[in-house]
Amino acid sequence: MLPIVKLPCFVENILPRFSLTFNKAQLRHFGEYLTGLMISENKTVTGINSNFLDHTDQSSKNHFLTEADWDEKRVTDERLCMVKEQCEKRRITDGVLVIDDSLAHKSGKHIEGANWFWDHVEHAYTFAHQLVTSQYVTKLFHVPLHYRLYLKEEDVPQGTFQSKIDLAIQLIKDAFTAEIPFSCVTADNWYFCDKIIKYLASISKNWVFASKSNRKICVKGNWMLLREFVKTLTPNDFKQVKITKTNGKELFVWAFAKTVRMSKVGRVKVVISYLNEPFKGDPFFLVTNRKEWSIVKILSTYAQRWPIETFYRDAKQNLGLENCELRLLKGIRRHWDLVFLAYTLLQIESLSGPLSKWIKSNVVTIGGKCRIASAEMLRSFIFWAFQHFNQKNDFDQVFRIAMK
């Protein structure tokens, strides 16, 4: 690709926010690395560094990630301030907190914190980091909040192991402590457990979780599994409802709801749904503590879980979440911190910042926004070349400068 001669305007605009976190040299690396995550084809340290005109040796950026003295928490705190500022500006007083996990695949075998995990997509074991993350979803935007690295018991000192459930509770605490405006938490069936539910009750938060079919409920004094309860229903018990997904698309499902007592949970509302028609395919189970909510409200709330899936896809395909080739966990974590910031910046700036024109032109995906940022870099390069030609430089001179 052509050399980058200038940072995108929306990256330049946020640099003053981080002037107390980085010194002058670090701030340059910060801006360049953030830009490279968005527009470089090769999103490794070497690849990003080589994309800039008059770049320094790649070891400088390596040092910036692995050894330089800067506080990752301050970067995260500033990113969350950007999110809360948008909420205040847009008068957003509520949202949904989504918890999920994903694998960041690795090709090297000597990478700190990586191990072999079962990949449910590939149906095979793969060498990766496993991240448990939180996503904040509102009607206008969705952004990642925090992450925790899941380490197997064999990889941590005795007595310090934390399960994914423990990490999920930490993520909810992080969002609560940061005063992110959310009232409900949603997640898939892995995170539906009494430990998380008890914590949510302690901070007065609602929840909607997917459930496995082997959860026990009490119906008319009889305890039975959810999958057994389904067999007592008929097609007439279900009604077709319409829900609107976060991308604006409408989805029709057949659903049934009932308030019951569930083992280890208490009184809850259970929703059983089918995508096509009753008893065609496998039923999908949702459980919530909000017994007064309608079927549509419960299904729509859980549908807001989907943006975390698109975040994982976009962060991997477009922002280099899996591309860090560093071996030390300190550098890898800093790489993830900057990926989270890049995603947040692209989401927020497209609402009201210099990138808001993207919405008007229907460019709403992260990949599309990265391509628009690349187009801005092309414009900057053309202007740079134009200036050099005006200085009486011939074509070969300008080419040598650009390609050195």
Side-chain angles (χ1 to χ4, degrees):
M1 62 180 289
L2 293 172
I4 301 172
V5 299
K6 184 178 180 294
L7 299 181
C9 59
F10 58 92
V11 175
E12 287 276 9
N13 290 346
I14 68 160
L15 293 185
R17 300 187 67 129
F18 295 89
S19 59
L20 297 179
T21 302
F22 303 107
N23 61 37
K24 187 175 180 180
Q26 291 170 350
L27 198 62
R28 175 189 173 183
H29 290 305
F30 169 73
E32 291 182 349
Y33 200 82
L34 202 57
T35 299
L37 289 174
M38 299 179 201
I39 69 176
S40 291
E41 295 175 2
N42 180 353
K43 301 181 190 297
T44 63
V45 173
T46 302
I48 290 174
N49 185 70
S50 63
N51 280 156
F52 285 85
L53 189 69
D54 297 327
H55 59 77
T56 57
D57 187 88
Q58 66 89 23
S59 61
S60 297
K61 280 192 176 48
N62 200 313
H63 181 272
F64 168 72
L65 287 177
T66 59
E67 299 178 43
D69 182 21
W70 54 272
D71 188 348
E72 301 89 348
K73 186 178 183 302
R74 291 184 68 171
V75 173
T76 297
D77 290 343
E78 193 61 45
R79 175 170 57 83
L80 296 182
C81 280
M82 294 167 62
V83 174
K84 289 188 286 186
E85 286 169 8
Q86 277 300 316
C87 289
E88 290 180 10
K89 183 176 182 179
R90 304 286 169 177
R91 296 183 180 180
I92 297 172
T93 59
D94 194 14
V96 173
L97 186 70
V98 185
I99 304 295
D100 203 1
D101 57 83
S102 184
L103 297 176
H105 301 85
K106 296 296 174 183
S107 55
K109 302 305 178 189
H110 302 286
I111 299 175
E112 188 178 4
N115 208 323
W116 291 94
F117 296 97
W118 180 257
D119 190 327
H120 294 280
V121 177
E122 300 295 333
H123 300 289
Y125 280 96
T126 185
F127 195 68
H129 287 118
Q130 186 161 64
L131 292 175
V132 184
T133 73
S134 57
Q135 189 88 356
Y136 182 55
V137 182
T138 74
K139 292 181 179 180
L140 293 179
F141 65 89
H142 58 88
V143 291
L145 293 182
H146 299 92
Y147 69 83
R148 288 288 188 278
L149 177 64
Y150 171 72
L151 297 171
K152 289 189 173 183
E153 196 164 4
E154 63 198 54
D155 294 331
V156 298
Q158 187 174 6
T160 63
F161 172 72
Q162 292 181 305
S163 68
K164 286 194 287 185
I165 299 298
D166 296 326
L167 300 181
I169 292 175
Q170 289 180 21
L171 293 173
I172 299 169
K173 285 181 179 178
D174 288 339
F176 183 71
T177 303
E179 299 182 335
I180 300 296
F182 73 99
S183 63
C184 187
V185 175
T186 186
D188 64 23
N189 57 47
W190 178 272
Y191 297 97
F192 181 33
C193 65
D194 56 341
K195 195 172 183 179
I196 290 180
I197 288 171
K198 286 178 181 177
Y199 175 69
L200 291 176
S202 72
I203 58 172
S204 302
K205 298 298 181 183
N206 302 316
W207 49 267
V208 178
F209 290 110
S211 174
K212 294 181 179 179
S213 64
N214 61 356
R215 299 299 295 250
K216 283 187 175 183
I217 60 173
C218 185
V219 180
K220 296 180 180 180
N222 297 317
W223 287 95
M224 63 180 72
L225 302 179
L226 277 174
R227 60 173 172 261
E228 295 172 345
F229 174 65
V230 173
K231 297 176 182 178
T232 69
L233 303 176
T234 69
N236 291 333
D237 293 315
F238 291 80
K239 65 178 181 179
Q240 191 177 45
V241 296
K242 179 181 71 174
I243 61 173
T244 303
K245 300 170 69 175
T246 51
N247 59 7
K249 293 184 179 180
E250 294 179 344
L251 180 68
F252 290 88
V253 300
W254 291 88
F256 165 86
K258 187 174 181 62
T259 299
V260 297
R261 191 151 53 96
M262 179 172 279
S263 178
K264 299 182 179 180
V265 181
R267 288 191 65 78
V268 294
K269 192 166 190 175
V270 174
V271 174
I272 304 168
S273 62
Y274 289 89
L275 200 53
N276 297 310
E277 61 182 81
F279 305 105
K280 260 200 172 184
D282 294 325
F284 186 70
F285 302 97
L286 289 178
V287 183
T288 179
N289 65 322
R290 294 308 299 262
K291 299 177 283 294
E292 76 282 8
W293 280 4
S294 68
I295 291 177
V296 173
K297 172 72 172 177
I298 296 168
L299 289 169
S300 298
T301 300
Y302 187 77
Q304 294 187 67
R305 177 187 167 277
W306 179 245
I308 200 168
E309 300 288 352
T310 61
F311 161 71
Y312 290 140
R313 181 196 65 208
D314 291 333
K316 293 174 184 179
Q317 293 180 359
N318 300 301
L319 297 175
L321 184 70
E322 297 181 310
N323 290 78
C324 184
E325 83 285 14
L326 299 173
R327 292 188 175 185
L328 296 180
L329 199 50
K330 180 178 181 179
I332 296 169
R333 287 184 183 276
R334 286 177 164 183
H335 171 83
W336 291 334
D337 289 331
L338 296 181
V339 169
F340 273 45
L341 177 57
Y343 191 97
T344 302
L345 185 60
L346 287 169
Q347 287 287 73
I348 287 178
E349 285 298 308
S350 61
L351 289 176
S352 59
L355 307 182
S356 58
K357 59 185 179 183
W358 293 348
I359 298 299
K360 298 176 183 178
S361 61
N362 295 319
V363 180
V364 295
T365 66
I366 291 297
K369 293 173 184 180
C370 289
R371 287 188 290 273
I372 295 294
S374 296
E376 184 185 338
M377 295 300 92
L378 174 60
R379 183 181 184 278
S380 297
F381 178 79
I382 292 173
F383 182 70
W384 172 88
F386 175 77
Q387 288 180 311
H388 278 71
F389 283 128
N390 279 346
Q391 295 170 7
K392 307 299 183 182
N393 291 321
D394 62 28
F395 175 82
D396 288 335
Q397 285 178 307
V398 174
F399 182 78
R400 282 194 296 271
I401 295 171
M403 295 295 110
K404 67 180 180 179

